Amino acid sequence: MGATIRDVAQAAGVSVATVSRLVNGTGRVRDDTARRVQTAIDRLGFRPNAIGRNLSTARTRTLGVVIPSLSNPVFADAVAGINAEAKAQGYTLMFMATDYVRTDEQALVGTLLAYQVDGLILTVADAADSPVLDALDRDDVPYVLIYNQPTARNRPTVTVDNVTAGREVADFFADLGHERLAMVSGTLTASDRARARRDGFVAGAEARGLAAPRVLEVDFVDLDADAAVAPLFADRTGAPTALFCSNDLLAISVIGALGRLGLGVPADVSVIGFDGIAVGAQLHPTLATVAQPSREMGRVATTRLLARLAGETAAPATVLPHTLRPGESAGPAAKPCPADLQVPFHHNGRSPS
Amino acid sequence: MGATIRDVAQAAGVSVATVSRLVNGTGRVRDDTARRVQTAIDRLGFRPNAIGRNLSTARTRTLGVVIPSLSNPVFADAVAGINAEAKAQGYTLMFMATDYVRTDEQALVGTLLAYQVDGLILTVADAADSPVLDALDRDDVPYVLIYNQPTARNRPTVTVDNVTAGREVADFFADLGHERLAMVSGTLTASDRARARRDGFVAGAEARGLAAPRVLEVDFVDLDADAAVAPLFADRTGAPTALFCSNDLLAISVIGALGRLGLGVPADVSVIGFDGIAVGAQLHPTLATVAQPSREMGRVATTRLLARLAGETAAPATVLPHTLRPGESAGPAAKPCPADLQVPFHHNGRSPS
DNA sequence: GTGAAAGCGCTAACAC
DNA sequence: GTGTTAGCGCTTTCAC
C-alpha cells in the first residue's frame, strides 16, 4: 500500500539501517542525515509496517481479549477499560467473543496466539477446569483472567470476592426480613463466578438460619424468562419473597417476567442482581445489585498483564472491592397479616402499600 | 514460543513447502506424507505464525474497527455484529475507540493501518469533512462507514435514514397533539447523524406548521443533564412539551433530569430517544425511540467490506430500515384546561391523569 | 554515524 | 508430489 523502509532509504540516500534507527530512536543519527530522512518519510508518507517489525522483533504490542459477549454491558465496560489502558501504553487489542460457547474458547485463543499477541486477557467459563488455561500455562503464555473465580492453581486473576458478595446478598435479604430466598442463575457450569455467588448466597442463608435457597438454573443465552421463573411461583404459598439473580441482565428479564406473572417488585418479590451495569440505576424500580468495578477491572488486568510482559511476576489474584448497591427492586419483606386480610398478589407492579 | 514450520518439516523429513501446502490445503500432498507431517504438527503443537504468513502474503485477514466508544450499547452491539460476521468469514478484529475525540481518529486509523488490517469499519465524527477518510480514499484503503450520514462524496456507508427518521419523530409528536417541540442533541459538530436527525426534525415540525423546535446542544461525553436541561424549562409557560433526544443514553439522562426538575414523563413532557438500545424497553416508563438495527448494521457493513476485499465494487450507501418504536415516555399532549384548573407541574413523575 | 547483511516465519514460483 | 529458493519489511549485529 505504502512506501517501505527501503523506499525511504533510497530517497534519502542512506541505508535502511539508518532509517530504522531514526524511526525507532535507537542509535544516534547525525542531524542533517536525520533531516534528510525525515523529509523523505514525510514526502512518501511512510508508515512502518508493523508486520515486518513484529516478525523481526517477535513482539507485536498487541493484546488478545477473549470474553463471552460484547452485548452484556459488564463485558463491554471491561473491554473499554482494557482498551483505555492498552492504548495509553501503546498496545492494540485483538478481540474475540465466545458467545458463551465454552468449547470455542480454545480455538479463539488459538487464533489470537497465531497472531502472536503479546498476552491475553480473558474470561473463561471455568478457571478451575479449563483446557485453554492449561495450554496457556504449559506454553508459558502471559495472561490475566478477569471476572473468573480464583482457584487453587493460583492463576493470575482480577476479580471481586464473589463468595463474600453472595453471602452479603443473603444477609441483605435476611436483614430485610425475608425468609424464603431463591436464586436464579445462568448455567452454573458455564460460569465459575455464578457458582461462587451461589455458594456464598447459600452459605449466608444457612448462617442466618434460613431454609436453603432454591437455585434455579436457566439458559441465559436465549432466555425465556417467563417459563424460567414460573416454577418458582407455581406454589405461591411457599414461593420465595426474595430473588438473587446471578447478573443484572438476568435480573432485568426476571423482573419483567414477574410482572407478567402478576407479581410486583418489590411489593411481592424483592430482586437483586449482580454486576452494577449502568442502566440498573435508571430502571424503575431501580435495580438493587452488587456492583463490580468493571472498567477498573479491565484497567487493572491490563496493567498487570503489561507488568508481566515487562518481566515482573505478579500476585495470583487481585480482588477488587464490590459494592452491594441497594435499589428499589429490593424492599423489606411484607409483614404477614391475618389470613383473611391477605392480598397476596396484585396485577400491577405496584403494591397497595 | 512454539515450533516453526521448519521444525515440523525437519521432524517429518519433508521440506517446508510441503508442510505449507498441507497446512493451507494448497497443492496436493501424498497421503502418507500428509500423515507424517500431521503427526509432526500434532506432536510439536505447531501453530502457523500469522505474522510470517501475513508478511509473505501481504494480507492479514484482520479488520480494523474504529468507533466512538464501547460504553454505548449501540456501538457495542454493532461491534458484536461486526465480530460475528468477521468470525464467520475467518477474520479477526483489531479495535480502537476514539472516546469521541475527533482529532484522535487519524492516529487510531494509522495504528490499525500499520498493522496492515485488510480493511476498516468506522464511525467518524463527520463523514462529509474528515481528513481520515480523505487519506483512506487517497491511499485506496478499503473501508465501510457505519452510522455516518451519506455524503455527496458517495463514501460506502451502512446507516439508516436519519433525516427521515427525524421528520417522523416530528410527525409522531405532532400527531400526539404536541405543539412546542425541542431537541436535545450531543455536540452537533461531533456527529453528522445527530445533525441529520435535527434537520429532519426541524423540517418535520415546519411541515406540520409548528414553531421551530429549540435545539439544545449538550456535551454528551461528560454530561450534566440537570444543568443542560434546565434552560429549556426556565420559562415554564413556553416550555416544550415534547423532547427529541439524539440518542437513547442521552434520553435516559434527560428523563432523570426532568424528574428532578419536578416534570413527569410523559405527563408533563414527552421524550423520545434514538438508537433502540435494549434497555430502553425495560425502563419505566419504557423509552420511546427510533430503533436502528445496530447488530445488523455491523453485520452488513462487514459483509460489504469483505465483498469489497474480494474485488467487488459495491454501492455507496446501504440504508437499513429504522423503526419508530413508541413507548410510555412519549404520550399525548395534555389537553389545555381552563386556566384556573390548570395544574401545570407535579413534583413526582406521575400525572394525576 | 553509517552501511552491509543475516535473519524473523512464512508463501509461492519454479524446478525436478 | 516434493524440494529449493527468493523474497515479504523490518531490526540488529557487526564492520568500518
Side-chain angles (χ1 to χ4, degrees):
Chain A
M1 224 166 273
T4 74
I5 196 175
R6 200 146 38 230
D7 300 331
V8 174
Q10 191 162 356
V14 299
S15 76
V16 292
T18 300
V19 180
S20 175
R21 280 190 276 258
L22 178 70
V23 167
N24 299 295
T26 143
R28 220 144 296 295
V29 178
R30 217 191 311 141
D31 264 17
D32 60 321
T33 315
R35 244 189 312 281
R36 236 169 47 241
V37 173
Q38 190 56 56
T39 308
I41 288 179
D42 293 343
R43 190 166 59 77
L44 297 175
F46 169 69
R47 184 200 316 291
N49 180 326
I51 301 293
R53 171 180 297 164
N54 295 341
L55 189 56
S56 148
T57 58
R59 297 191 60 234
T60 56
R61 291 191 83 77
T62 274
L63 263 26
V65 175
V66 179
I67 47 146
S69 157
L70 266 188
S71 303
N72 188 335
V74 79
F75 295 121
D77 283 347
V79 175
I82 294 170
N83 184 53
E85 184 65 18
K87 186 174 167 185
Q89 306 290 332
Y91 279 77
T92 301
L93 301 189
M94 299 202 66
F95 169 82
M96 311 242 69
T98 66
D99 293 316
Y100 298 95
V101 180
R102 181 182 185 147
T103 47
D104 278 8
E105 291 174 1
Q106 189 94 259
L108 298 185
V109 167
T111 304
L112 259 14
L113 289 180
Y115 280 104
Q116 310 299 114
V117 294
D118 290 341
L120 289 162
I121 296 181
L122 47 171
T123 299
V124 299
D126 185 352
D129 173 21
S130 168
V132 207
L133 297 185
D134 294 341
L136 292 179
D137 283 339
R138 184 165 35 67
D139 297 350
D140 217 45
V141 178
Y143 69 88
V144 174
L145 295 170
I146 181 168
Y147 293 113
N148 280 114
Q149 192 60 14
T151 68
R153 328 203 27 173
N154 276 344
R155 293 176 153 140
T157 309
V158 175
T159 182
V160 298
D161 186 341
N162 288 294
V163 175
T164 298
R167 191 172 290 123
E168 287 169 6
V169 170
D171 270 329
F172 173 68
F173 279 149
D175 289 343
L176 286 170
H178 291 280
E179 297 180 339
R180 294 192 305 279
L181 314 185
M183 176 167 186
V184 181
S185 172
T187 321
L188 289 165
T189 54
S191 172
D192 51 9
R193 50 242 174 252
R195 286 204 306 279
R197 291 164 200 169
R198 176 207 55 191
D199 292 347
F201 186 59
V202 168
E206 181 172 14
R208 295 294 290 257
L210 301 179
R214 192 158 159 198
V215 178
L216 205 66
E217 200 175 341
V218 302
D219 178 3
F220 174 59
V221 181
D222 40 16
L223 177 66
D224 177 351
D226 293 49
V229 162
L232 276 180
F233 299 90
D235 163 26
R236 296 204 168 183
T237 330
T241 64
L243 236 46
F244 175 29
C245 298
S246 66
N247 69 57
D248 283 351
L249 248 30
L250 188 54
I252 292 172
S253 300
V254 163
I255 290 175
L258 289 174
R260 288 184 292 275
L261 276 176
L263 293 164
V265 174
D268 301 311
V269 185
S270 280
V271 176
I272 189 170
F274 204 106
D275 284 347
I277 62 180
V279 296
Q282 310 284 354
L283 300 174
H284 286 275
T286 57
L287 183 63
T289 190
V290 178
Q292 316 191 65
S294 290
R295 209 190 149 86
E296 177 69 5
M297 286 167 70
R299 231 191 40 69
V300 171
T302 308
T303 306
R304 286 198 44 186
L305 182 56
L306 294 180
R308 165 81 197 278
L309 291 181
E312 291 178 35
T313 146
T318 304
V319 178
L320 263 38
H322 61 269
T323 315
L324 196 156
R325 199 147 73 198
E328 295 159 3
S329 67
K335 311 264 184 311
C337 33
D340 48 355
L341 284 183
Q342 217 166 336
V343 186
F345 301 106
H346 321 283
H347 290 284
N348 61 28
R350 230 155 260 132
S351 92
S353 76
Chain B
M1 228 167 266
T4 75
I5 196 174
R6 204 149 33 234
D7 299 331
V8 174
Q10 191 163 357
V14 299
S15 76
V16 293
T18 300
V19 179
S20 175
R21 279 189 277 258
L22 179 69
V23 166
N24 298 296
T26 145
R28 218 145 297 297
V29 177
R30 216 192 309 142
D31 265 18
D32 59 322
T33 315
R35 245 187 313 279
R36 235 169 48 240
V37 174
Q38 189 58 56
T39 307
I41 289 178
D42 293 344
R43 189 166 61 76
L44 298 174
F46 169 67
R47 182 198 317 292
N49 180 326
I51 301 295
R53 171 180 295 162
N54 295 341
L55 189 55
S56 151
T57 58
R59 299 192 57 233
T60 56
R61 292 190 83 77
T62 274
L63 264 28
V65 176
V66 179
I67 49 149
S69 157
L70 266 189
S71 302
N72 188 335
V74 79
F75 295 122
D77 282 346
V79 175
I82 294 170
N83 184 52
E85 184 65 17
K87 186 173 167 187
Q89 307 290 331
Y91 279 76
T92 301
L93 300 189
M94 299 202 67
F95 169 81
M96 311 240 70
T98 66
D99 294 315
Y100 299 94
V101 181
R102 180 181 186 146
T103 46
D104 278 9
E105 292 174 0
Q106 189 94 258
L108 299 184
V109 167
T111 303
L112 260 13
L113 289 180
Y115 281 105
Q116 311 298 115
V117 295
D118 289 341
L120 289 161
I121 296 180
L122 48 169
T123 299
V124 298
D126 185 350
D129 172 22
S130 167
V132 207
L133 297 184
D134 293 342
L136 293 179
D137 284 339
R138 183 165 35 67
D139 296 350
D140 217 45
V141 178
Y143 69 87
V144 174
L145 295 170
I146 182 168
Y147 293 112
N148 280 114
Q149 192 61 13
T151 68
R153 333 205 19 172
N154 275 344
R155 293 175 154 142
T157 309
V158 175
T159 183
V160 297
D161 186 341
N162 288 294
V163 176
T164 299
R167 192 174 289 122
E168 287 169 7
V169 169
D171 270 328
F172 172 68
F173 280 148
D175 289 343
L176 286 170
H178 292 280
E179 296 179 341
R180 296 193 302 279
L181 314 185
M183 177 165 183
V184 181
S185 173
T187 320
L188 289 165
T189 53
S191 173
D192 51 10
R193 50 240 174 255
R195 286 203 305 279
R197 291 164 200 169
R198 176 206 55 191
D199 292 346
F201 185 61
V202 170
E206 181 172 15
R208 296 293 292 256
L210 302 178
R214 189 155 161 202
V215 177
L216 205 67
E217 199 173 341
V218 303
D219 178 3
F220 174 60
V221 181
D222 42 15
L223 177 66
D224 178 350
D226 293 47
V229 162
L232 274 181
F233 298 90
D235 163 24
R236 296 205 167 183
T237 330
T241 64
L243 236 48
F244 175 29
C245 298
S246 66
N247 69 57
D248 283 350
L249 247 32
L250 188 54
I252 293 173
S253 300
V254 163
I255 289 176
L258 290 175
R260 289 184 291 274
L261 276 177
L263 292 164
V265 173
D268 301 310
V269 185
S270 280
V271 175
I272 188 170
F274 205 106
D275 284 348
I277 62 179
V279 297
Q282 310 283 356
L283 301 173
H284 285 276
T286 57
L287 183 63
T289 189
V290 178
Q292 318 191 62
S294 290
R295 209 190 150 86
E296 177 68 4
M297 286 166 71
R299 231 190 41 68
V300 171
T302 309
T303 305
R304 286 198 46 185
L305 181 57
L306 294 180
R308 164 82 197 278
L309 292 181
E312 290 179 37
T313 146
T318 304
V319 179
L320 262 37
H322 60 269
T323 314
L324 196 157
R325 197 146 75 198
E328 295 160 3
S329 67
K335 312 262 181 313
C337 32
D340 49 354
L341 283 181
Q342 218 166 335
V343 186
F345 300 106
H346 320 285
H347 288 286
N348 60 28
R350 228 155 262 131
S351 93
S353 79

